[in-house]
Amino acid sequence: MARYTGAECRQCRREKLKLFLKGDRCYSDKCAFERRSFAPGQHGQARVRKVSDYAIQLREKQKVRRIYGMLEGQFRKYFEIAERIKGVTGENLLMLLESRLDNVIYRLGYANSRNQGRQLVRHDHIEVNGRKVNIPSFRVSINDVITLKEKSRKVAAINESLEAVVRRGVPSWLELDKDNYKGTVKALPSRQEITMPIQEQLIVELYSK
């Protein structure tokens, strides 16, 4: 799967918001956004100009796309699926993104970033309902049980991440049994449980043009 391979901190600076793309580093003094919160490039500190409605909508879409580590084509497909589902399109979109396996791995604390969660899935560390799943975009369902393979439970990075999950917490729609390396999907994520500052209606307006 194609993905962004450039400097992750540049994405936070471009969106003028800490997106927590580098795990624990984002909580430390080494975070590049803390030192340089202006946009990257030689014009990053230029005078702020009035922006159009389209520019505001585009920035919101780019921000959400970068939070979940997706390229444009894949993100657009999620929006099209969200349109077909009964309910509010913007909320459906966020629910679909949160239900991705790589995001669930991050939310449970097995990984300290979604990118690391994607790597764990790709490298066959994860089982869903006792079966190996190595597709990061796999959509979890209610009552799914996500576990680490036995051989993966000694990986230092995973255990360090599980110890650090206390800082950000596990969302209420998931349940973590840290001692047994097991997570359970208790419900599908609701809009109220997604705490990142996202205005999904702007994305709907952008794609509806």
Side-chain angles (χ1 to χ4, degrees), residues 134-165:
N134 59 8
I135 302 172
S137 60
F138 176 87
R139 193 191 309 173
V140 300
S141 302
I142 298 174
N143 296 325
D144 277 354
V145 177
I146 297 97
T147 55
L148 279 171
K149 284 188 173 181
E150 194 69 36
K151 67 177 182 179
S152 304
R153 299 180 182 186
K154 297 180 181 179
V155 177
I158 295 176
N159 285 291
E160 289 172 3
S161 182
L162 280 170
E163 291 300 322
V165 74

Side-chain angles (χ1 to χ4, degrees), residues 39-177:
Q42 63 177 329
H43 302 298
Q45 299 184 72
R47 178 172 57 85
V48 177
R49 299 177 180 177
K50 184 178 179 180
V51 293
S52 65
D53 290 342
Y54 173 80
I56 294 172
Q57 295 162 358
L58 178 62
R59 286 264 59 88
E60 192 67 22
K61 185 264 294 183
Q62 295 290 75
K63 178 178 73 178
V64 176
R65 187 174 65 76
R66 286 167 170 165
I67 287 173
Y68 290 96
M70 304 171 70
L71 296 183
E72 176 61 31
Q74 190 178 22
F75 189 83
R76 182 61 183 257
K77 288 180 181 177
Y78 272 94
F79 180 81
E80 292 171 354
I81 295 172
E83 279 190 307
R84 295 195 294 268
I85 299 175
K86 184 178 179 180
V88 181
T89 300
E91 294 182 5
N92 290 341
L93 174 63
L94 295 183
M95 182 271 292
L96 291 171
L97 296 174
E98 282 288 307
S99 300
R100 284 173 54 96
L101 182 58
D102 55 358
N103 178 75
V104 173
I105 295 303
Y106 164 68
R107 293 295 194 190
L108 285 170
Y110 294 148
N112 62 25
S113 68
R114 291 179 180 85
N115 185 46
Q116 189 181 67
R118 188 175 300 112
Q119 291 180 345
L120 291 180
V121 176
R122 282 291 189 192
H123 295 167
D124 297 335
H125 292 282
I126 304 299
E127 292 181 343
V128 179
N129 300 327
R131 301 180 64 180
K132 179 185 74 175
V133 177
N134 59 8
I135 302 172
S137 60
F138 176 87
R139 193 191 309 173
V140 300
S141 302
I142 298 174
N143 296 325
D144 277 354
V145 177
I146 297 97
T147 55
L148 279 171
K149 284 188 173 181
E150 194 69 36
K151 67 177 182 179
S152 304
R153 299 180 182 186
K154 297 180 181 179
V155 177
I158 295 176
N159 285 291
E160 289 172 3
S161 182
L162 280 170
E163 291 300 322
V165 74
V166 177
R167 180 174 54 240
R168 68 171 184 266
V170 176
S172 59
W173 57 279
L174 296 172
E175 183 177 73
L176 173 65
D177 182 352

Side-chain angles (χ1 to χ4, degrees), residues 165-200:
V165 74
V166 177
R167 180 174 54 240
R168 68 171 184 266
V170 176
S172 59
W173 57 279
L174 296 172
E175 183 177 73
L176 173 65
D177 182 352
K178 190 166 67 172
D179 294 334
N180 294 313
Y181 298 89
K182 181 175 74 173
T184 305
V185 181
K186 298 194 300 181
L188 294 178
S190 67
R191 179 64 186 90
Q192 291 72 28
E193 292 168 312
I194 302 172
T195 56
M196 288 293 288
I198 295 172
Q199 300 180 65
E200 65 275 11

